[in-house]
Amino acid sequence: MATERTLSIIKPDATRRNLTGKVNSKFEAAGLRIVAQKRLRLTRAQAEAFYEVHRSRPFFDSLCTFMTSGPVVVQVLEGDNAVAKNREVMGATDPAKAAPGTVRKELAESIEANSVHGSDSLDNAAKEIAFFFAETEIVR
Ligand code: GDP
Ligand code: MG
C-alpha cells in the first residue's frame, strides 16, 4: 500500500460542539497521522472557491453559508491508503446512511452539517492540500 496524503476539514458543527479531539482520535486510531493542521475561519470567497465543483448544486449557497458559520480545522492526514481510509473513517455523506462507528454516524448533525470533509481522490487531495498549505507547513 502506498503512503498518501489527504486533506481533512473538521467542519463548523464539530468545532462548535468542541469535538475536534473526538474526531481526530478516530483518524489516529485508524493509523492516519496529522502532519499539518490549522484552525481558521473561512471567508465566503474561500468557501466558494473550495467547493467550486458544487457551484451548480441546489445546496451550494447553503453549504458555503454553513462552512463560514464558525471556525474549521484544516489538516493533512498521512498514511497507507490515506485518501480511502479517511473516507472510510468519515462515513457516508448522509449520516443516516453512514456505517456504525464512523465519524458522521456518531457525530454529524445533518447531511450538510456532517462534521468532516475529506478529499475524494489522490488528485483532488493534492489540489486541496495546496489550497490551504505550503509544502513547508507539512511536517511528518
Ligand atoms: P462528501 O464528499 O461526502 O463531503 O460529499 P459531497 O462532495 O457530495 O458534498 C460536499 C458537501 O456538501 C457535503 O459534505 C455536505 O456538507 C454538503 N451536501 C452534500 N449533499 C447535500 C445535500 O443534499 N444537501 C445539503 N444541504 N448539503 C449537502
Ligand atoms: Mg466531496
Side-chain angles (χ1 to χ4, degrees):
M1 266 190 295
T3 299
E4 296 175 353
R5 286 176 175 174
T6 191
L7 186 85
S8 163
I9 304 178
I10 302 180
K11 295 184 178 182
D13 67 287
T15 60
R16 176 169 47 76
R17 288 175 290 149
N18 208 21
L19 295 174
T20 63
K22 199 160 192 172
V23 169
N24 280 335
S25 68
K26 287 188 175 292
F27 293 142
E28 292 182 340
L32 293 164
R33 181 174 293 269
I34 300 164
V35 294
Q37 189 178 55
K38 54 191 165 193
R39 182 178 176 100
L40 51 90
R41 181 90 180 242
L42 292 176
T43 64
R44 182 83 193 182
Q46 276 178 310
E48 289 187 3
F50 185 79
Y51 281 116
E52 183 61 38
V53 60
H54 292 308
R55 187 171 286 277
S56 62
R57 309 284 286 277
F59 57 81
F60 179 75
D61 204 61
S62 174
L63 173 62
C64 291
T65 298
F66 163 63
M67 288 299 289
T68 56
S69 68
V72 297
V73 176
V74 296
Q75 50 195 13
V76 179
L77 305 180
E78 185 180 274
D80 282 343
N81 235 359
V83 172
K85 193 176 283 180
N86 179 36
R87 298 284 307 190
E88 202 180 299
V89 176
M90 289 165 59
T93 308
D94 182 353
K97 295 178 183 153
T102 60
V103 172
R104 284 164 165 174
K105 180 68 176 188
E106 289 190 1
L107 304 176
E109 294 184 318
S110 67
I111 192 170
E112 178 175 274
N114 59 4
S115 304
V116 279
H117 166 85
S119 308
D120 63 4
S121 69
L122 205 47
D123 269 8
N124 283 336
K127 288 177 194 151
E128 292 179 359
I129 289 168
F131 188 91
F132 287 110
F133 293 98
E135 195 57 41
T136 51
E137 294 176 306
I138 304 169
V139 184
R140 70 182 309 276

PDB file of all heavy atoms in Angstrom, residues 11 51 53-54 57-60 62-63 66-67 87 90-94 104 110-120, ligand 1:
ATOM      1  N   LYS A  11     -15.494  20.438  10.335  1.00  0.00           N
ATOM      2  CA  LYS A  11     -16.433  21.492   9.941  1.00  0.00           C
ATOM      3  C   LYS A  11     -16.996  22.252  11.159  1.00  0.00           C
ATOM      4  O   LYS A  11     -16.865  21.802  12.298  1.00  0.00           O
ATOM      5  CB  LYS A  11     -17.567  20.865   9.117  1.00  0.00           C
ATOM      6  CG  LYS A  11     -17.083  20.279   7.770  1.00  0.00           C
ATOM      7  CD  LYS A  11     -18.247  19.755   6.936  1.00  0.00           C
ATOM      8  CE  LYS A  11     -17.764  19.233   5.589  1.00  0.00           C
ATOM      9  NZ  LYS A  11     -18.898  18.753   4.741  1.00  0.00           N
ATOM     10  N   TYR A  51     -15.344  24.823  -2.806  1.00  0.00           N
ATOM     11  CA  TYR A  51     -16.457  23.977  -3.249  1.00  0.00           C
ATOM     12  C   TYR A  51     -16.929  24.317  -4.667  1.00  0.00           C
ATOM     13  O   TYR A  51     -18.060  23.987  -5.034  1.00  0.00           O
ATOM     14  CB  TYR A  51     -17.621  24.075  -2.256  1.00  0.00           C
ATOM     15  CG  TYR A  51     -17.426  23.227  -1.004  1.00  0.00           C
ATOM     16  CD1 TYR A  51     -17.314  23.800   0.254  1.00  0.00           C
ATOM     17  CD2 TYR A  51     -17.360  21.832  -1.083  1.00  0.00           C
ATOM     18  CE1 TYR A  51     -17.152  23.016   1.398  1.00  0.00           C
ATOM     19  CE2 TYR A  51     -17.188  21.046   0.048  1.00  0.00           C
ATOM     20  CZ  TYR A  51     -17.088  21.644   1.282  1.00  0.00           C
ATOM     21  OH  TYR A  51     -16.928  20.860   2.403  1.00  0.00           O
ATOM     22  N   VAL A  53     -16.601  23.012  -7.461  1.00  0.00           N
ATOM     23  CA  VAL A  53     -17.140  21.861  -8.203  1.00  0.00           C
ATOM     24  C   VAL A  53     -18.642  21.656  -7.922  1.00  0.00           C
ATOM     25  O   VAL A  53     -19.359  21.068  -8.736  1.00  0.00           O
ATOM     26  CB  VAL A  53     -16.319  20.587  -7.880  1.00  0.00           C
ATOM     27  CG1 VAL A  53     -16.387  20.268  -6.393  1.00  0.00           C
ATOM     28  CG2 VAL A  53     -16.771  19.399  -8.691  1.00  0.00           C
ATOM     29  N   HIS A  54     -19.115  22.178  -6.783  1.00  0.00           N
ATOM     30  CA  HIS A  54     -20.521  22.014  -6.413  1.00  0.00           C
ATOM     31  C   HIS A  54     -21.365  23.258  -6.720  1.00  0.00           C
ATOM     32  O   HIS A  54     -22.521  23.339  -6.302  1.00  0.00           O
ATOM     33  CB  HIS A  54     -20.649  21.697  -4.922  1.00  0.00           C
ATOM     34  CG  HIS A  54     -20.111  20.354  -4.522  1.00  0.00           C
ATOM     35  ND1 HIS A  54     -20.474  19.190  -5.152  1.00  0.00           N
ATOM     36  CD2 HIS A  54     -19.231  19.986  -3.558  1.00  0.00           C
ATOM     37  CE1 HIS A  54     -19.846  18.165  -4.592  1.00  0.00           C
ATOM     38  NE2 HIS A  54     -19.076  18.619  -3.635  1.00  0.00           N
ATOM     39  N   ARG A  57     -24.954  22.936  -7.774  1.00  0.00           N
ATOM     40  CA  ARG A  57     -25.847  22.110  -6.943  1.00  0.00           C
ATOM     41  C   ARG A  57     -26.807  23.010  -6.150  1.00  0.00           C
ATOM     42  O   ARG A  57     -26.452  24.125  -5.768  1.00  0.00           O
ATOM     43  CB  ARG A  57     -25.038  21.239  -5.971  1.00  0.00           C
ATOM     44  CG  ARG A  57     -23.923  20.429  -6.637  1.00  0.00           C
ATOM     45  CD  ARG A  57     -24.426  19.233  -7.398  1.00  0.00           C
ATOM     46  NE  ARG A  57     -24.852  18.167  -6.522  1.00  0.00           N
ATOM     47  CZ  ARG A  57     -24.024  17.270  -5.979  1.00  0.00           C
ATOM     48  NH1 ARG A  57     -22.724  17.327  -6.207  1.00  0.00           N
ATOM     49  NH2 ARG A  57     -24.491  16.314  -5.206  1.00  0.00           N
ATOM     50  N   PRO A  58     -28.016  22.518  -5.876  1.00  0.00           N
ATOM     51  CA  PRO A  58     -29.001  23.343  -5.156  1.00  0.00           C
ATOM     52  C   PRO A  58     -28.545  23.737  -3.747  1.00  0.00           C
ATOM     53  O   PRO A  58     -28.996  24.750  -3.220  1.00  0.00           O
ATOM     54  CB  PRO A  58     -30.248  22.454  -5.103  1.00  0.00           C
ATOM     55  CG  PRO A  58     -29.790  21.080  -5.439  1.00  0.00           C
ATOM     56  CD  PRO A  58     -28.567  21.213  -6.286  1.00  0.00           C
ATOM     57  N   PHE A  59     -27.640  22.946  -3.155  1.00  0.00           N
ATOM     58  CA  PHE A  59     -27.229  23.221  -1.780  1.00  0.00           C
ATOM     59  C   PHE A  59     -25.977  24.086  -1.687  1.00  0.00           C
ATOM     60  O   PHE A  59     -25.486  24.353  -0.581  1.00  0.00           O
ATOM     61  CB  PHE A  59     -27.021  21.904  -1.009  1.00  0.00           C
ATOM     62  CG  PHE A  59     -26.022  20.955  -1.636  1.00  0.00           C
ATOM     63  CD1 PHE A  59     -24.658  21.122  -1.457  1.00  0.00           C
ATOM     64  CD2 PHE A  59     -26.453  19.883  -2.403  1.00  0.00           C
ATOM     65  CE1 PHE A  59     -23.737  20.250  -2.013  1.00  0.00           C
ATOM     66  CE2 PHE A  59     -25.545  18.996  -2.979  1.00  0.00           C
ATOM     67  CZ  PHE A  59     -24.181  19.192  -2.781  1.00  0.00           C
ATOM     68  N   PHE A  60     -25.454  24.575  -2.833  1.00  0.00           N
ATOM     69  CA  PHE A  60     -24.176  25.297  -2.824  1.00  0.00           C
ATOM     70  C   PHE A  60     -24.184  26.515  -1.897  1.00  0.00           C
ATOM     71  O   PHE A  60     -23.284  26.707  -1.071  1.00  0.00           O
ATOM     72  CB  PHE A  60     -23.811  25.722  -4.257  1.00  0.00           C
ATOM     73  CG  PHE A  60     -22.523  26.495  -4.345  1.00  0.00           C
ATOM     74  CD1 PHE A  60     -21.296  25.856  -4.215  1.00  0.00           C
ATOM     75  CD2 PHE A  60     -22.528  27.864  -4.566  1.00  0.00           C
ATOM     76  CE1 PHE A  60     -20.105  26.566  -4.291  1.00  0.00           C
ATOM     77  CE2 PHE A  60     -21.342  28.576  -4.638  1.00  0.00           C
ATOM     78  CZ  PHE A  60     -20.130  27.926  -4.509  1.00  0.00           C
ATOM     79  N   SER A  62     -26.198  27.319   0.598  1.00  0.00           N
ATOM     80  CA  SER A  62     -26.379  26.914   1.992  1.00  0.00           C
ATOM     81  C   SER A  62     -25.083  26.292   2.544  1.00  0.00           C
ATOM     82  O   SER A  62     -24.673  26.565   3.679  1.00  0.00           O
ATOM     83  CB  SER A  62     -27.536  25.915   2.048  1.00  0.00           C
ATOM     84  OG  SER A  62     -27.672  25.386   3.322  1.00  0.00           O
ATOM     85  N   LEU A  63     -24.421  25.477   1.727  1.00  0.00           N
ATOM     86  CA  LEU A  63     -23.160  24.838   2.135  1.00  0.00           C
ATOM     87  C   LEU A  63     -22.101  25.896   2.450  1.00  0.00           C
ATOM     88  O   LEU A  63     -21.408  25.811   3.473  1.00  0.00           O
ATOM     89  CB  LEU A  63     -22.676  23.897   1.018  1.00  0.00           C
ATOM     90  CG  LEU A  63     -21.296  23.261   1.195  1.00  0.00           C
ATOM     91  CD1 LEU A  63     -21.234  22.381   2.438  1.00  0.00           C
ATOM     92  CD2 LEU A  63     -20.928  22.445  -0.052  1.00  0.00           C
ATOM     93  N   PHE A  66     -22.949  27.630   5.683  1.00  0.00           N
ATOM     94  CA  PHE A  66     -22.594  26.747   6.800  1.00  0.00           C
ATOM     95  C   PHE A  66     -21.087  26.712   7.034  1.00  0.00           C
ATOM     96  O   PHE A  66     -20.608  26.841   8.178  1.00  0.00           O
ATOM     97  CB  PHE A  66     -23.133  25.329   6.544  1.00  0.00           C
ATOM     98  CG  PHE A  66     -22.483  24.275   7.400  1.00  0.00           C
ATOM     99  CD1 PHE A  66     -22.615  24.309   8.783  1.00  0.00           C
ATOM    100  CD2 PHE A  66     -21.718  23.270   6.826  1.00  0.00           C
ATOM    101  CE1 PHE A  66     -21.991  23.350   9.578  1.00  0.00           C
ATOM    102  CE2 PHE A  66     -21.093  22.316   7.616  1.00  0.00           C
ATOM    103  CZ  PHE A  66     -21.229  22.350   8.992  1.00  0.00           C
ATOM    104  N   MET A  67     -20.313  26.568   5.967  1.00  0.00           N
ATOM    105  CA  MET A  67     -18.856  26.412   6.119  1.00  0.00           C
ATOM    106  C   MET A  67     -18.173  27.682   6.628  1.00  0.00           C
ATOM    107  O   MET A  67     -17.037  27.626   7.101  1.00  0.00           O
ATOM    108  CB  MET A  67     -18.230  25.957   4.799  1.00  0.00           C
ATOM    109  CG  MET A  67     -18.547  24.514   4.430  1.00  0.00           C
ATOM    110  SD  MET A  67     -17.962  23.283   5.634  1.00  0.00           S
ATOM    111  CE  MET A  67     -16.173  23.364   5.386  1.00  0.00           C
ATOM    112  N   ARG A  87     -11.900   8.498   4.049  1.00  0.00           N
ATOM    113  CA  ARG A  87     -13.316   8.450   3.656  1.00  0.00           C
ATOM    114  C   ARG A  87     -14.052   7.344   4.427  1.00  0.00           C
ATOM    115  O   ARG A  87     -15.229   7.473   4.761  1.00  0.00           O
ATOM    116  CB  ARG A  87     -13.433   8.192   2.136  1.00  0.00           C
ATOM    117  CG  ARG A  87     -12.814   9.262   1.243  1.00  0.00           C
ATOM    118  CD  ARG A  87     -13.611  10.524   1.111  1.00  0.00           C
ATOM    119  NE  ARG A  87     -14.993  10.317   0.715  1.00  0.00           N
ATOM    120  CZ  ARG A  87     -15.812  11.305   0.349  1.00  0.00           C
ATOM    121  NH1 ARG A  87     -15.370  12.565   0.308  1.00  0.00           N
ATOM    122  NH2 ARG A  87     -17.059  11.067   0.033  1.00  0.00           N
ATOM    123  N   MET A  90     -14.655   8.582   7.920  1.00  0.00           N
ATOM    124  CA  MET A  90     -15.685   9.634   7.880  1.00  0.00           C
ATOM    125  C   MET A  90     -17.092   9.059   7.779  1.00  0.00           C
ATOM    126  O   MET A  90     -18.019   9.548   8.424  1.00  0.00           O
ATOM    127  CB  MET A  90     -15.469  10.531   6.651  1.00  0.00           C
ATOM    128  CG  MET A  90     -14.270  11.438   6.723  1.00  0.00           C
ATOM    129  SD  MET A  90     -13.868  12.097   5.080  1.00  0.00           S
ATOM    130  CE  MET A  90     -15.389  12.930   4.648  1.00  0.00           C
ATOM    131  N   GLY A  91     -17.291   8.056   6.934  1.00  0.00           N
ATOM    132  CA  GLY A  91     -18.615   7.511   6.665  1.00  0.00           C
ATOM    133  C   GLY A  91     -19.315   8.256   5.540  1.00  0.00           C
ATOM    134  O   GLY A  91     -18.831   9.267   5.041  1.00  0.00           O
ATOM    135  N   ALA A  92     -20.486   7.770   5.155  1.00  0.00           N
ATOM    136  CA  ALA A  92     -21.244   8.328   4.032  1.00  0.00           C
ATOM    137  C   ALA A  92     -21.637   9.782   4.302  1.00  0.00           C
ATOM    138  O   ALA A  92     -21.812  10.183   5.458  1.00  0.00           O
ATOM    139  CB  ALA A  92     -22.483   7.487   3.776  1.00  0.00           C
ATOM    140  N   THR A  93     -21.804  10.534   3.202  1.00  0.00           N
ATOM    141  CA  THR A  93     -22.159  11.955   3.289  1.00  0.00           C
ATOM    142  C   THR A  93     -23.367  12.186   4.191  1.00  0.00           C
ATOM    143  O   THR A  93     -23.372  13.095   5.021  1.00  0.00           O
ATOM    144  CB  THR A  93     -22.477  12.492   1.870  1.00  0.00           C
ATOM    145  OG1 THR A  93     -21.396  12.157   1.001  1.00  0.00           O
ATOM    146  CG2 THR A  93     -22.679  13.998   1.881  1.00  0.00           C
ATOM    147  N   ASP A  94     -24.397  11.377   3.999  1.00  0.00           N
ATOM    148  CA  ASP A  94     -25.626  11.474   4.793  1.00  0.00           C
ATOM    149  C   ASP A  94     -25.468  10.615   6.052  1.00  0.00           C
ATOM    150  O   ASP A  94     -25.370   9.389   5.957  1.00  0.00           O
ATOM    151  CB  ASP A  94     -26.806  10.972   3.946  1.00  0.00           C
ATOM    152  CG  ASP A  94     -28.131  11.080   4.680  1.00  0.00           C
ATOM    153  OD1 ASP A  94     -28.135  11.408   5.890  1.00  0.00           O
ATOM    154  OD2 ASP A  94     -29.161  10.828   4.035  1.00  0.00           O
ATOM    155  N   ARG A 104     -19.318  10.407  10.890  1.00  0.00           N
ATOM    156  CA  ARG A 104     -20.605  11.001  10.533  1.00  0.00           C
ATOM    157  C   ARG A 104     -21.778  10.292  11.214  1.00  0.00           C
ATOM    158  O   ARG A 104     -22.744  10.931  11.624  1.00  0.00           O
ATOM    159  CB  ARG A 104     -20.757  11.040   9.013  1.00  0.00           C
ATOM    160  CG  ARG A 104     -19.913  12.177   8.398  1.00  0.00           C
ATOM    161  CD  ARG A 104     -19.729  12.040   6.929  1.00  0.00           C
ATOM    162  NE  ARG A 104     -19.240  13.271   6.298  1.00  0.00           N
ATOM    163  CZ  ARG A 104     -18.891  13.367   5.016  1.00  0.00           C
ATOM    164  NH1 ARG A 104     -18.972  12.291   4.235  1.00  0.00           N
ATOM    165  NH2 ARG A 104     -18.459  14.504   4.522  1.00  0.00           N
ATOM    166  N   SER A 110     -26.449  16.574  10.329  1.00  0.00           N
ATOM    167  CA  SER A 110     -27.326  16.501   9.153  1.00  0.00           C
ATOM    168  C   SER A 110     -26.478  16.205   7.923  1.00  0.00           C
ATOM    169  O   SER A 110     -25.239  16.180   8.009  1.00  0.00           O
ATOM    170  CB  SER A 110     -28.048  17.834   8.953  1.00  0.00           C
ATOM    171  OG  SER A 110     -27.101  18.833   8.592  1.00  0.00           O
ATOM    172  N   ILE A 111     -27.121  16.037   6.775  1.00  0.00           N
ATOM    173  CA  ILE A 111     -26.374  15.770   5.539  1.00  0.00           C
ATOM    174  C   ILE A 111     -25.459  16.949   5.200  1.00  0.00           C
ATOM    175  O   ILE A 111     -24.419  16.770   4.575  1.00  0.00           O
ATOM    176  CB  ILE A 111     -27.323  15.436   4.361  1.00  0.00           C
ATOM    177  CG1 ILE A 111     -26.534  14.880   3.165  1.00  0.00           C
ATOM    178  CG2 ILE A 111     -28.165  16.645   3.971  1.00  0.00           C
ATOM    179  CD1 ILE A 111     -27.392  14.301   2.059  1.00  0.00           C
ATOM    180  N   GLU A 112     -25.822  18.160   5.631  1.00  0.00           N
ATOM    181  CA  GLU A 112     -24.967  19.330   5.380  1.00  0.00           C
ATOM    182  C   GLU A 112     -23.953  19.525   6.514  1.00  0.00           C
ATOM    183  O   GLU A 112     -22.742  19.618   6.266  1.00  0.00           O
ATOM    184  CB  GLU A 112     -25.825  20.587   5.232  1.00  0.00           C
ATOM    185  CG  GLU A 112     -24.989  21.840   5.018  1.00  0.00           C
ATOM    186  CD  GLU A 112     -25.870  23.040   4.742  1.00  0.00           C
ATOM    187  OE1 GLU A 112     -26.224  23.250   3.565  1.00  0.00           O
ATOM    188  OE2 GLU A 112     -26.234  23.739   5.706  1.00  0.00           O
ATOM    189  N   ALA A 113     -24.448  19.559   7.730  1.00  0.00           N
ATOM    190  CA  ALA A 113     -23.573  19.749   8.895  1.00  0.00           C
ATOM    191  C   ALA A 113     -23.055  18.379   9.319  1.00  0.00           C
ATOM    192  O   ALA A 113     -23.431  17.831  10.364  1.00  0.00           O
ATOM    193  CB  ALA A 113     -24.346  20.433  10.017  1.00  0.00           C
ATOM    194  N   ASN A 114     -22.185  17.825   8.461  1.00  0.00           N
ATOM    195  CA  ASN A 114     -21.765  16.431   8.645  1.00  0.00           C
ATOM    196  C   ASN A 114     -20.332  16.297   9.151  1.00  0.00           C
ATOM    197  O   ASN A 114     -19.663  15.301   8.914  1.00  0.00           O
ATOM    198  CB  ASN A 114     -22.013  15.625   7.359  1.00  0.00           C
ATOM    199  CG  ASN A 114     -21.276  16.186   6.167  1.00  0.00           C
ATOM    200  OD1 ASN A 114     -20.505  17.147   6.296  1.00  0.00           O
ATOM    201  ND2 ASN A 114     -21.468  15.591   5.006  1.00  0.00           N
ATOM    202  N   SER A 115     -19.893  17.326   9.875  1.00  0.00           N
ATOM    203  CA  SER A 115     -18.708  17.274  10.760  1.00  0.00           C
ATOM    204  C   SER A 115     -17.336  17.228  10.090  1.00  0.00           C
ATOM    205  O   SER A 115     -16.374  17.735  10.659  1.00  0.00           O
ATOM    206  CB  SER A 115     -18.811  16.104  11.758  1.00  0.00           C
ATOM    207  OG  SER A 115     -19.999  16.188  12.506  1.00  0.00           O
ATOM    208  N   VAL A 116     -17.215  16.582   8.934  1.00  0.00           N
ATOM    209  CA  VAL A 116     -15.896  16.439   8.307  1.00  0.00           C
ATOM    210  C   VAL A 116     -15.962  16.516   6.786  1.00  0.00           C
ATOM    211  O   VAL A 116     -16.972  16.134   6.172  1.00  0.00           O
ATOM    212  CB  VAL A 116     -15.221  15.091   8.695  1.00  0.00           C
ATOM    213  CG1 VAL A 116     -14.572  15.165  10.065  1.00  0.00           C
ATOM    214  CG2 VAL A 116     -16.191  13.930   8.604  1.00  0.00           C
ATOM    215  N   HIS A 117     -14.877  17.012   6.211  1.00  0.00           N
ATOM    216  CA  HIS A 117     -14.631  16.921   4.779  1.00  0.00           C
ATOM    217  C   HIS A 117     -13.423  16.020   4.573  1.00  0.00           C
ATOM    218  O   HIS A 117     -12.494  16.044   5.374  1.00  0.00           O
ATOM    219  CB  HIS A 117     -14.312  18.301   4.179  1.00  0.00           C
ATOM    220  CG  HIS A 117     -13.725  18.207   2.791  1.00  0.00           C
ATOM    221  ND1 HIS A 117     -14.516  18.113   1.672  1.00  0.00           N
ATOM    222  CD2 HIS A 117     -12.430  18.117   2.363  1.00  0.00           C
ATOM    223  CE1 HIS A 117     -13.717  17.989   0.592  1.00  0.00           C
ATOM    224  NE2 HIS A 117     -12.464  17.995   0.994  1.00  0.00           N
ATOM    225  N   GLY A 118     -13.402  15.274   3.476  1.00  0.00           N
ATOM    226  CA  GLY A 118     -12.215  14.515   3.097  1.00  0.00           C
ATOM    227  C   GLY A 118     -12.092  14.468   1.592  1.00  0.00           C
ATOM    228  O   GLY A 118     -13.094  14.288   0.890  1.00  0.00           O
ATOM    229  N   SER A 119     -10.873  14.626   1.092  1.00  0.00           N
ATOM    230  CA  SER A 119     -10.649  14.569  -0.363  1.00  0.00           C
ATOM    231  C   SER A 119     -11.156  13.242  -0.913  1.00  0.00           C
ATOM    232  O   SER A 119     -11.077  12.212  -0.250  1.00  0.00           O
ATOM    233  CB  SER A 119      -9.154  14.687  -0.671  1.00  0.00           C
ATOM    234  OG  SER A 119      -8.588  15.804  -0.036  1.00  0.00           O
ATOM    235  N   ASP A 120     -11.661  13.271  -2.164  1.00  0.00           N
ATOM    236  CA  ASP A 120     -12.250  12.053  -2.739  1.00  0.00           C
ATOM    237  C   ASP A 120     -11.348  11.329  -3.735  1.00  0.00           C
ATOM    238  O   ASP A 120     -11.733  10.300  -4.275  1.00  0.00           O
ATOM    239  CB  ASP A 120     -13.612  12.369  -3.358  1.00  0.00           C
ATOM    240  CG  ASP A 120     -13.518  13.350  -4.517  1.00  0.00           C
ATOM    241  OD1 ASP A 120     -12.397  13.735  -4.907  1.00  0.00           O
ATOM    242  OD2 ASP A 120     -14.586  13.733  -5.033  1.00  0.00           O
TER     243      ASP A 120
HETATM  244  P1  GDP B   1     -18.663  14.455   0.671  1.00  0.00           P
HETATM  245  O1  GDP B   1     -17.551  14.254  -0.316  1.00  0.00           O
HETATM  246  O2  GDP B   1     -19.083  13.171   1.355  1.00  0.00           O
HETATM  247  O3  GDP B   1     -18.358  15.537   1.687  1.00  0.00           O
HETATM  248  O4  GDP B   1     -19.957  14.932  -0.127  1.00  0.00           O
HETATM  249  P2  GDP B   1     -20.114  15.847  -1.447  1.00  0.00           P
HETATM  250  O5  GDP B   1     -18.774  16.160  -2.044  1.00  0.00           O
HETATM  251  O6  GDP B   1     -21.133  15.203  -2.318  1.00  0.00           O
HETATM  252  O7  GDP B   1     -20.762  17.181  -0.875  1.00  0.00           O
HETATM  253  C1  GDP B   1     -19.969  18.181  -0.248  1.00  0.00           C
HETATM  254  C2  GDP B   1     -20.686  18.647   0.996  1.00  0.00           C
HETATM  255  O8  GDP B   1     -21.911  19.288   0.614  1.00  0.00           O
HETATM  256  C3  GDP B   1     -21.144  17.530   1.950  1.00  0.00           C
HETATM  257  O9  GDP B   1     -20.147  17.055   2.808  1.00  0.00           O
HETATM  258  C4  GDP B   1     -22.248  18.236   2.711  1.00  0.00           C
HETATM  259  O10 GDP B   1     -21.713  19.132   3.701  1.00  0.00           O
HETATM  260  C5  GDP B   1     -22.901  19.053   1.606  1.00  0.00           C
HETATM  261  N1  GDP B   1     -24.013  18.309   0.969  1.00  0.00           N
HETATM  262  C6  GDP B   1     -23.941  17.215   0.170  1.00  0.00           C
HETATM  263  N2  GDP B   1     -25.161  16.829  -0.255  1.00  0.00           N
HETATM  264  C7  GDP B   1     -26.038  17.710   0.306  1.00  0.00           C
HETATM  265  C8  GDP B   1     -27.467  17.847   0.260  1.00  0.00           C
HETATM  266  O11 GDP B   1     -28.168  17.082  -0.407  1.00  0.00           O
HETATM  267  N3  GDP B   1     -28.000  18.908   0.945  1.00  0.00           N
HETATM  268  C9  GDP B   1     -27.244  19.781   1.678  1.00  0.00           C
HETATM  269  N4  GDP B   1     -27.855  20.786   2.332  1.00  0.00           N
HETATM  270  N5  GDP B   1     -25.902  19.671   1.742  1.00  0.00           N
HETATM  271  C10 GDP B   1     -25.306  18.652   1.086  1.00  0.00           C
END
